[in-house]
Amino acid sequence: ATLKIRDDSQIVIHSLDIGGSISSDGLVGILEQDNKFSLIQAVLEVIKPDFGFELWLHSDFSVGSGLGGSAAVAASIIGCFNVFRNDQWNSFEMAELAFHAERIQLGVSGGWQDQYATVFGGFNFVEFNMEENNIHPLRLQPKTIFELEESLILCDTKSRHDSGKLHDQHRKAIEKKESRDRVTANVELAFHMRDHLLHGRLTEFGMALHEAWQLKRNVSKHIASPELDKIYN
C-alpha cells in the first residue's frame, strides 16, 4: 500500500488486484459507490480521513487464496494513514481497527487472528480473551527457524476460499458437544505446539500440526474436501 497526500479534497484509489480505480471529491462520494472496493471502503469508513489522498494497492497473492489477505490489505491501509498521524495508533489499536473494518463494518465472519498476525508479525503465542488480546513473542533459535522454513510447503489449490462463509458454518457446527470438545482440544494443543517450537522439537511440532488439522477438519464437513485431502495426504 502506498499513500500520497493531495493538496485538495480529491480521493483516488487504485487497486492492481481488483484491476480498477475509483475517485471522488471527498470521502462521502467514495463510500457511496457500489463496487468491488468494499473492503477498502470499510477501512476508510472506520478511520474517516478528512483530507484528499491517492492510494495504490497491490498484493502478491490472489484474492480468495485463504492466506488472510483481506486482513493484510486492511492493516496496510491503516499503517499508511498512521504514518501521517500526530497521535499514532499502537499495534494493538491498528489490529483492532482492521478487525472492526472487516468483521463489524463489512460484516465478514471470523476471528482476530489474521489481523493480529499481520500487524505484529513474527512468531507469537496469541491469547484471545473477552477483555483484551495479548501477544507473547516467542524467542526461537535461528537454527529452529531455518529448519522450520525448509520443512514448509505452500500449495496453490487453485480454489477460492470464502473464510466468512466457512466461519459461519463453523459457528453452527460447534453448537454440537463433540465439535466443542474438538475445539477445546485444539486450544490445549496450541500450548504444546508453543513448547515444541521453543525447544526446537520440530518433529513433535509437525505431528501436533497434523493432530490440529485432524481435529479441525472433523469439526465441520465444509473445512476439507476430497481434493484437499488428496493434496494433504
Side-chain angles (χ1 to χ4, degrees), residues 1-223:
T2 305
L3 181 70
K4 178 183 178 182
I5 303 299
R6 295 175 60 98
D7 54 10
D8 57 24
S9 59
Q10 190 77 7
I11 294 175
V12 184
I13 302 172
H14 311 279
S15 173
L16 274 71
D17 308 311
I18 298 173
S21 303
I22 55 173
S23 62
S24 179
D25 186 21
L27 182 61
V28 174
I30 287 289
L31 298 180
E32 288 178 344
Q33 297 187 37
D34 183 18
N35 48 46
K36 297 180 290 186
F37 287 72
S38 57
L39 174 62
I40 303 167
Q41 291 167 315
V43 175
L44 297 178
E45 175 68 25
V46 169
I47 62 180
K48 293 182 170 55
D50 57 358
F51 50 82
F53 60 87
E54 196 155 359
L55 177 68
W56 292 265
L57 295 166
H58 175 56
S59 309
D60 58 1
F61 50 83
S62 58
V63 177
S65 62
L67 296 174
S70 55
V73 171
S76 297
I77 297 171
I78 293 168
C80 280
F81 281 98
N82 199 35
V83 172
F84 292 95
R85 288 176 56 87
N86 292 322
D87 180 21
Q88 292 193 341
W89 299 305
N90 62 35
S91 296
F92 286 95
E93 291 169 327
M94 285 196 290
E96 289 293 333
L97 285 169
F99 172 87
H100 189 88
E102 188 174 0
R103 304 292 182 235
I104 309 302
Q105 193 66 37
L106 194 57
V108 177
S109 297
W112 281 270
Q113 64 277 359
D114 290 350
Q115 291 79 13
Y116 273 80
T118 297
V119 172
F120 282 88
F123 283 94
N124 302 297
F125 186 76
V126 188
E127 292 183 295
F128 298 106
N129 303 301
M130 292 298 292
E131 295 79 17
E132 63 180 10
N133 301 322
N134 292 311
I135 311 295
H136 306 281
L138 300 183
R139 296 180 59 182
L140 303 185
Q141 296 293 321
K143 62 180 182 180
T144 300
I145 297 175
F146 294 149
E147 185 179 349
L148 178 60
E149 288 176 341
E150 289 298 314
S151 304
L152 296 175
I153 301 174
L154 181 63
C155 299
D156 186 355
T157 64
K158 305 296 183 182
S159 59
R160 289 180 61 84
H161 177 94
D162 189 336
S163 61
K165 186 179 293 184
L166 279 176
H167 276 97
D168 286 334
Q169 295 163 342
H170 186 270
R171 187 176 292 111
K172 292 178 181 178
I174 61 175
E175 293 175 358
K176 302 175 182 177
K177 184 181 184 303
E178 60 269 25
S179 295
R180 290 199 304 271
D181 291 342
R182 291 190 183 100
V183 172
T184 300
N186 232 344
V187 171
E188 294 173 353
L189 192 59
F191 289 88
H192 297 300
M193 294 168 71
R194 175 200 61 186
D195 295 343
H196 290 322
L197 273 179
L198 288 173
H199 290 273
R201 299 190 294 256
L202 291 187
T203 299
E204 291 86 346
F205 176 73
M207 295 307 298
L209 275 178
H210 174 70
E211 185 180 346
W213 169 244
Q214 297 304 326
L215 286 167
K216 184 174 182 177
R217 72 182 302 284
N218 288 318
V219 168
S220 169
K221 63 181 181 180
H222 301 287
I223 290 176

